């Protein structure tokens, strides 16, 4: 199996296994964050939206009242079923669900007004391919809105943080820096309209439990934070180490790109 195929298969297995925790996750349902995505992209009632890697369905659910329709996709079929049941329980009827690999979207070119993808590209083996696929399925003038982990530009610091994330979740492939995100969008022919960073704070234990970490892995994660070099400490801003409330900052980028008329 190629690296890409095994990486996707691992994501599928793990997210199918941990699906219920992602539907109920407070950090994924965070209202202010989802409201900010709506504010930035200004959805219109006639829009067709594609939500890539929908996970528990929180982004699809937040956009649904503002638009005509949302297609929510994910590579993990059980995750998709859990998201579908969750969205149906909220009484929302304009979201449909379809299994799909983010890097090979099963949709015709120029189908959607907005493509959203939140807290997922760090799992993709080739995020640039996902960006190109999103640009392809967008109508002229359509928007790509991504929220994901962002890494510092300094390579060694970035690698340490990626290793820390991958220890907790082996399906974490690699997060990108802000510069990489801007380049990926531009290379796919999108004009970058907005970039911002937000800080999420994770309680280490809750964050590790969502991915079923063993006690031994939790101890290794704690050690990685406690012995981190200065650049990593500056980025992760750990607090309350040595207590059950130990937490760290998880920086995300929100980036919005627009497809021009000629792309
Ligand atoms: C953290 S969850 C997404 C959270 C969700 N977007 C939200 O806003 O709450 C990450 C999701 O990415 C999905 N995923 C990972 N690799 C994928 C791929 N190549 N294509 C599509 N989905 C993928 C996983 O199955 C998982 O459901």
């Amino acid at each position: 199996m190629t690296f890409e195929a095994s990486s996707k298969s691992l994501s599928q297995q793990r997210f199918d296994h941990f699906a219920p925790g992602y539907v109920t996750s407070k950090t994924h349902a965070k209202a202010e964050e989802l409201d900010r995505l709506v504010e930035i992209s200004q959805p219109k009632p006639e829009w067709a939206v594609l939500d890539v890697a929908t996970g528990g369905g929180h982004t699809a659910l937040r956009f649904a009242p503002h638009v005509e329709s949302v297609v929510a996709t994910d590579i993990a079929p059980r995750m998709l079923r859990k998201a579908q049941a969750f969205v149906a329980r909220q009484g929302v009827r304009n979201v449909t669900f379809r299994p799909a690999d983010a890097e090979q979207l099963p949709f015709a070119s120029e189908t959607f007004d907005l493509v959203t993808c939140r807290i997922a590209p760090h799992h993709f083996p080739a995020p640039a391919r996902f960006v190109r696929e999103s640009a392809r399925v967008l109508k002229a003038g359509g928007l790509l809105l991504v929220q994901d982990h962002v890494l510092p530009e300094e390579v060694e610091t970035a690698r340490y943080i990626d290793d820390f994330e991958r220890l907790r979740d082996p399906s974490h492939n690699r997060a990108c820096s802000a510069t990489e995100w801007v380049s990926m969008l531009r290379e796919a022919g999108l004009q970058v309209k907005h970039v911002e960073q937000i800080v999420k704070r994770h309680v280490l234990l809750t964050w590790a439990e969502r991915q079923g970490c063993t006690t031994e892995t939790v101890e290794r994660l704690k050690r990685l934070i406690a012995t981190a070099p200065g650049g990593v400490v500056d980025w992760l801003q750990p607090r309350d180490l040595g207590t059950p409330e130990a937490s760290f900052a998880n920086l995300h980028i929100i980036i919005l790109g627009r497809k021009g008329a000629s792309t």
Side-chain angles (χ1 to χ4, degrees):
M1 209 188 264
T2 63
F3 162 72
E4 294 198 357
S6 64
S7 163
K8 287 176 187 175
S9 158
L10 184 63
S11 280
Q12 188 175 331
Q13 282 166 32
R14 291 186 67 87
F15 280 102
D16 270 347
H17 184 71
F18 296 114
Y22 280 83
V23 172
T24 54
S25 160
K26 287 200 179 68
T27 183
H28 290 86
K30 207 162 189 192
E32 314 90 85
E33 230 175 74
L34 292 163
D35 290 350
R36 183 72 188 130
L37 295 181
V38 170
E39 195 178 14
I40 291 169
S41 58
Q42 297 283 306
K44 309 245 174 331
E46 65 277 14
W47 278 10
V49 176
L50 171 65
D51 185 35
V52 172
T54 199
H58 299 288
T59 306
L61 181 63
R62 186 65 190 87
F63 277 84
H66 297 281
V67 299
E68 173 77 24
S69 60
V70 182
V71 182
T73 61
D74 201 282
I75 204 164
R78 179 168 181 250
M79 178 67 98
L80 212 49
R81 287 198 295 279
K82 294 281 174 201
Q84 184 164 18
F86 167 63
V87 169
R89 283 199 299 278
Q90 317 307 311
V92 171
R93 298 280 171 261
N94 62 339
V95 183
T96 53
F97 293 81
R98 184 158 171 189
D101 177 353
E103 297 176 4
Q104 214 176 345
L105 295 169
F107 303 102
S109 300
E110 314 215 335
T111 299
F112 297 100
D113 300 282
L114 170 67
V115 175
T116 55
C117 185
R118 175 168 174 259
I119 328 183
H122 58 275
H123 296 289
F124 307 161
R129 199 177 302 153
F130 144 72
V131 175
R132 284 197 298 275
E133 273 294 85
S134 299
R136 179 184 67 76
V137 302
L138 279 174
K139 297 174 187 170
L143 299 174
L144 170 62
L145 179 63
V146 174
Q147 175 186 336
D148 198 24
H149 297 193
V150 66
L151 288 182
E153 306 288 342
E154 205 281 305
V155 175
E156 286 305 316
T157 308
R159 193 171 296 146
Y160 195 100
I161 296 167
D162 257 342
D163 289 346
F164 171 71
E165 291 277 356
R166 204 174 302 108
L167 176 59
R168 175 254 183 175
D169 172 6
S171 76
H172 174 107
N173 187 46
R174 191 178 82 83
C176 297
S177 69
T179 303
E180 286 177 296
W181 271 112
V182 169
S183 303
M184 284 190 288
L185 264 66
R186 289 198 176 136
E187 278 162 22
L190 302 173
Q191 301 154 355
V192 175
K193 293 300 205 187
H194 181 87
V195 183
E196 71 181 43
Q197 290 192 12
I198 57 169
V199 183
K200 289 168 81 81
R201 183 155 282 276
H202 293 312
V203 172
L204 189 128
L205 280 178
T206 317
W207 170 80
E209 273 164 11
R210 201 161 42 245
Q211 280 284 335
C213 293
T214 61
T215 314
E216 190 206 329
T217 303
V218 171
E219 288 310 314
R220 288 175 62 200
L221 288 166
K222 285 181 187 166
R223 251 197 324 276
L224 274 181
I225 289 211
T227 59
V232 174
V233 173
D234 289 347
W235 196 260
L236 295 181
Q237 300 163 42
R239 279 190 208 151
D240 303 321
L241 294 186
T243 76
E245 287 77 41
S247 67
F248 64 93
N250 177 219
L251 272 79
H252 284 196
I253 188 169
I254 297 177
I255 185 163
L256 181 76
R258 186 172 188 277
K259 180 169 172 171
S262 58
T263 306

